Amino acid sequence: MTFKFNNVYVGNTATVVGPYEKEGPLGNKFDKTYDDLYNGEKSWEKAEAKLLSESVDILLKKSKKKKEEIELVVAGDLLNQITASCYGLEKYKIPFLGIFSACSTSTEGILLASTLIDDARVKNAIVSVSSHNMASEKQFRNPTEYGAPRPKTATFTTTGGASILLQSAKSKVRVESATIGKMCDMDQKDPNNMGAAMAVAAADTIYTHLKDTKRDANYYDLIITGDLGLYGKDILLEYMKSEYGIDISSNYNDSGVMIYNTERQTEVLAGGSGPACSPLVNYSYTIPLLEKGTIKRLLIVATGALFSPTMVYEKEPILSISHAVSLESVK
Amino acid sequence: MTFKFNNVYVGNTATVVGPYEKEGPLGNKFDKTYDDLYNGEKSWEKAEAKLLSESVDILLKKSKKKKEEIELVVAGDLLNQITASCYGLEKYKIPFLGIFSACSTSTEGILLASTLIDDARVKNAIVSVSSHNMASEKQFRNPTEYGAPRPKTATFTTTGGASILLQSAKSKVRVESATIGKMCDMDQKDPNNMGAAMAVAAADTIYTHLKDTKRDANYYDLIITGDLGLYGKDILLEYMKSEYGIDISSNYNDSGVMIYNTERQTEVLAGGSGPACSPLVNYSYTIPLLEKGTIKRLLIVATGALFSPTMVYEKEPILSISHAVSLESVK
């Protein structure tokens, strides 16, 4: 299911990250960085909520907007009960829609907010997401203090808050269309290999998007999935070719691979993940390329592993989903 | 923030419940009931996913629609990673938007789907929610096997799956408008008194809705909050009067109070709760009243306590939110 938009623009973006993202290749492009994973808070959860709310503060400042001018905020994160979004955003008193789509939350939020703006129901909406490496490890796997070893297919949850202002007022970048994904089940049960669970969801959504819009893959200057990581990226490339006969190798990259220097930062293993991963890369790097006109067309394909530790304990597979958003440089 | 709709209709609803709801005053109005909380599954989580997917199966059957005719499903529940929605709905392969708004998930879903239908982006959408008493107790408080005593202000999570088909094709009931709520913080930290945390969110949303639509409270034949329970209901009535000077005592009830016979079913304490509570009552009882023309105007004000055990352990308050949906009988 693909929606077209005519009047939705990117007002601004804001990103706040932790030490690992700061050390990565995009480190100097983020709006704010922390050397300490606690960033002055007393718990990982509160640290994550702060990353998210600081990204909103920076976004409002960059956009020269008061919070009263924002009619809606759509947000979600990986923490149970989307805690970082709720506790990070309550203070703004902006009408709030909570969403959950794991690491594809950002594109679900952008597509929902864009629809409401394009259909003239809202003029200014913020979409916010976050993730925190330690908060996620504690919740989903083991507290990192246990020192459990992890295989090389495991990804490293990014620490960051990322917000985007979408608006009806014209700017240099517009949201052109969006595709809602379907859940996929690859019978993948290894929480240390999310890329394998998500690659097929990304492929299904890219294929659906291209079919719905009657486009070739090379219509886009860049297709950025994420967070598949090194192994998931390879699976996607092969799967797109074998299943759909589509070769995206020339214009494709993955945000999980782009956010870290996987060769030097060996602790990140297969690369970055978490709801913040895709928007951190796209808001700090690819959307500015659209603003400058360096690239004209960008397809963001955020991917979510709907990983429930409870269901994996109960021998169920990890389901996945992916939502895509197409952005264009405005002449 | 209130959206108006002109072309959104209720196609059908479907409800599947457990033994406590079956014993309640609406017991004979549900589409399917189970005497066993496991309903043939091996875990509480799988039992909840089954309730949800069975409500979709029944909805499709009642509506004489194939799943391929449904363009979108919007769903959420209380389980971490909205597990019941994901595992209950994956098999349908329908484009999926996951949402989280605790026990106000149903009205968030209805307002999102209604917007997409009213703006002619979607013709047929299903909104599904679920909750399961044992799955919730296990996740949020203690496994019930521990036998921990609970105070009389505690509510009892309903066991049920509830789905609604929203469509552009005319029917006897239409979705007229919807109000997106803001998060509220009453500094309430007791997970056994959610009604107190949520009453103010309900009041804020009712007040905003009436102000945005320039209506009096008596415009509605019925205003149904939920799940506030016995104590939350009283708090709301008093708060509406003292804070806004609005008396809703003549046309107001709460789904948490309505779903059980709180005098006879003493185990439910202050009444029902959970994302299924509001839609179970409204889909089985108040929407049929609109269909028959017994009442003309209904305001459903589902209320969500954004309760995170982790944040309560960290001494943070329980935030709350409420989204409202206005439904009308069509002549």
Side-chain angles (χ1 to χ4, degrees):
Chain A
M1 162 122 300
T2 298
F3 296 151
K4 287 258 187 181
F5 309 120
N6 295 310
N7 302 298
V8 185
Y9 297 87
V10 176
N12 244 310
T13 62
T15 49
V16 184
V17 302
Y20 294 96
E21 296 69 31
K22 183 182 175 182
E23 273 178 43
L26 307 175
N28 63 353
K29 298 185 190 298
F30 301 116
D31 291 298
K32 186 167 181 177
T33 61
Y34 278 102
D35 291 320
D36 173 19
L37 278 168
Y38 275 111
N39 60 34
E41 294 294 320
K42 285 187 174 175
S43 74
W44 305 129
E45 294 80 16
K46 291 183 188 178
E48 181 174 338
K50 189 178 174 186
L51 293 169
L52 192 145
S53 72
E54 283 195 322
S55 75
V56 173
D57 289 340
I58 293 169
L59 182 64
L60 290 171
K61 202 171 177 181
K62 283 170 86 169
S63 311
K64 294 184 181 117
K65 288 224 185 295
K66 290 176 196 161
K67 63 181 166 57
E68 292 77 16
E69 294 174 78
I70 309 301
E71 296 154 277
L72 175 69
V73 58
V74 184
D77 57 86
L78 269 186
L79 296 181
N80 297 337
Q81 299 88 43
I82 56 167
T83 295
S85 302
C86 296
Y87 285 81
L89 294 169
E90 186 272 333
K91 65 177 176 182
Y92 299 101
K93 299 290 175 199
I94 301 171
F96 172 76
L97 293 175
I99 58 175
F100 181 81
S101 194
C103 309
S104 58
T105 298
S106 58
T107 45
E108 175 171 331
I110 291 172
L111 83 82
L112 281 173
S114 296
T115 307
L116 295 172
I117 291 168
D118 201 52
D119 296 338
R121 293 188 181 272
V122 170
K123 281 197 176 69
N124 295 294
I126 288 177
V127 178
S128 295
V129 303
S130 63
S131 46
H132 189 290
N133 185 274
M134 293 295 187
S136 281
E137 289 301 314
K138 172 183 159 187
Q139 177 180 288
F140 284 106
R141 295 179 192 89
N142 294 304
T144 46
E145 292 83 349
Y146 291 6
R150 306 179 67 206
K152 61 183 182 176
T153 53
T155 49
F156 189 86
T157 305
T158 51
T159 298
S163 292
I164 187 167
L165 172 66
L166 298 169
Q167 61 188 35
S168 54
K170 287 198 176 170
S171 78
K172 290 180 184 168
V173 177
R174 78 181 189 97
V175 187
E176 184 269 337
S177 62
T179 299
I180 305 177
K182 302 184 284 285
M183 284 186 277
C184 295
D185 175 3
M186 289 304 286
D187 202 28
Q188 210 288 94
K189 298 181 181 181
D190 179 3
N192 281 315
N193 192 0
M194 301 285 204
M198 294 188 291
V200 175
D204 184 72
T205 295
I206 294 171
Y207 174 73
T208 302
H209 178 80
L210 296 176
K211 195 183 60 170
D212 287 353
T213 56
K214 299 188 174 69
R215 288 172 186 164
D216 289 329
N218 59 17
Y219 174 89
Y220 288 100
D221 298 313
L222 274 177
I223 297 175
I224 309 286
T225 58
D227 40 0
L228 299 181
L230 288 168
Y231 299 92
K233 186 183 167 184
D234 283 348
I235 296 171
L236 175 66
L237 278 169
E238 282 183 35
Y239 190 83
M240 284 299 292
K241 245 190 241 172
S242 63
E243 190 71 14
Y244 304 116
I246 297 173
D247 181 4
I248 56 170
S249 56
S250 64
N251 56 344
Y252 166 61
N253 211 338
D254 180 74
S255 62
V257 176
M258 296 163 80
I259 196 160
Y260 298 123
N261 184 328
T262 48
E263 289 190 19
R264 189 169 49 80
Q265 297 177 284
T266 51
E267 65 275 35
V268 305
L269 298 163
S273 61
C277 186
S278 168
L280 286 178
V281 167
N282 289 298
Y283 299 174
S284 70
Y285 177 58
T286 63
I287 290 180
L289 292 180
L290 286 172
E291 280 168 358
K292 285 177 219 142
T294 314
I295 62 169
K296 296 287 182 193
R297 295 160 179 159
L298 167 69
L299 188 67
I300 303 175
V301 190
T303 46
L306 302 160
F307 168 47
S308 155
T310 306
M311 295 311 270
V312 169
Y313 295 150
E314 294 178 13
K315 315 280 186 209
E316 291 294 314
I318 299 169
L319 306 179
S320 61
I321 195 163
S322 171
H323 305 294
V325 170
S326 158
L327 298 164
E328 277 187 3
S329 179
V330 177
K331 283 165 209 162
Chain B
M1 163 119 301
T2 298
F3 296 151
K4 287 260 188 181
F5 308 121
N6 295 311
N7 302 300
V8 185
Y9 296 87
V10 176
N12 244 310
T13 62
T15 50
V16 183
V17 302
Y20 294 95
E21 297 69 31
K22 183 183 176 182
E23 274 179 39
L26 307 175
N28 63 353
K29 297 184 191 300
F30 301 116
D31 292 299
K32 184 167 182 177
T33 62
Y34 278 101
D35 290 321
D36 172 19
L37 278 167
Y38 275 111
N39 60 35
E41 295 294 320
K42 285 187 175 176
S43 74
W44 305 129
E45 293 80 16
K46 291 183 187 179
E48 182 175 336
K50 188 178 174 186
L51 292 169
L52 191 145
S53 71
E54 284 195 321
S55 76
V56 173
D57 289 338
I58 293 169
L59 182 64
L60 290 171
K61 202 170 178 184
K62 283 170 86 170
S63 310
K64 294 183 181 119
K65 288 224 185 295
K66 289 177 196 161
K67 64 181 167 56
E68 291 76 16
E69 294 175 78
I70 308 301
E71 295 155 276
L72 175 69
V73 59
V74 184
D77 58 87
L78 268 185
L79 296 182
N80 297 337
Q81 300 89 41
I82 59 168
T83 295
S85 302
C86 296
Y87 287 81
L89 294 170
E90 186 272 334
K91 65 177 175 180
Y92 299 102
K93 299 291 175 199
I94 301 170
F96 172 76
L97 294 174
I99 57 175
F100 182 81
S101 194
C103 309
S104 58
T105 299
S106 58
T107 45
E108 175 171 331
I110 291 172
L111 82 81
L112 281 174
S114 296
T115 307
L116 296 172
I117 291 168
D118 202 51
D119 297 337
R121 292 188 182 273
V122 170
K123 281 197 176 72
N124 295 295
I126 288 177
V127 178
S128 295
V129 302
S130 64
S131 45
H132 190 290
N133 185 274
M134 293 296 186
S136 282
E137 289 301 314
K138 172 183 160 187
Q139 178 179 289
F140 285 107
R141 296 178 191 89
N142 293 304
T144 46
E145 292 83 349
Y146 291 6
R150 306 178 65 207
K152 62 184 180 174
T153 53
T155 49
F156 189 87
T157 305
T158 51
T159 299
S163 292
I164 187 167
L165 171 67
L166 298 169
Q167 61 188 36
S168 53
K170 287 199 176 170
S171 78
K172 289 179 182 168
V173 177
R174 77 181 190 97
V175 188
E176 185 269 336
S177 62
T179 299
I180 304 177
K182 302 185 284 285
M183 283 185 279
C184 294
D185 175 3
M186 289 304 286
D187 202 29
Q188 211 288 95
K189 298 181 181 180
D190 179 3
N192 281 314
N193 193 1
M194 302 283 204
M198 294 188 289
V200 175
D204 184 72
T205 296
I206 295 171
Y207 173 73
T208 301
H209 178 80
L210 296 176
K211 195 183 60 172
D212 287 352
T213 56
K214 298 188 175 68
R215 289 171 186 165
D216 290 327
N218 59 17
Y219 174 88
Y220 288 100
D221 298 313
L222 274 177
I223 297 174
I224 308 286
T225 59
D227 43 357
L228 298 181
L230 289 168
Y231 299 92
K233 185 183 168 185
D234 283 349
I235 295 170
L236 174 66
L237 278 169
E238 282 184 34
Y239 190 84
M240 285 299 291
K241 246 191 240 172
S242 63
E243 190 71 14
Y244 303 117
I246 296 174
D247 181 4
I248 57 168
S249 57
S250 65
N251 56 344
Y252 166 61
N253 211 340
D254 179 74
S255 63
V257 176
M258 296 163 81
I259 196 161
Y260 298 123
N261 184 328
T262 49
E263 289 191 17
R264 188 168 51 78
Q265 296 178 283
T266 51
E267 64 274 35
V268 305
L269 299 162
S273 60
C277 187
S278 169
L280 286 178
V281 167
N282 289 299
Y283 299 174
S284 70
Y285 176 57
T286 64
I287 289 180
L289 292 179
L290 286 172
E291 280 168 358
K292 286 178 219 141
T294 314
I295 62 169
K296 297 286 183 193
R297 293 158 179 161
L298 167 69
L299 188 67
I300 302 176
V301 190
T303 47
L306 302 161
F307 168 47
S308 155
T310 306
M311 295 311 269
V312 169
Y313 294 149
E314 294 179 13
K315 315 282 186 208
E316 291 294 313
I318 299 170
L319 307 178
S320 61
I321 195 162
S322 172
H323 305 293
V325 170
S326 159
L327 298 164
E328 277 188 1
S329 179
V330 177
K331 282 165 211 166

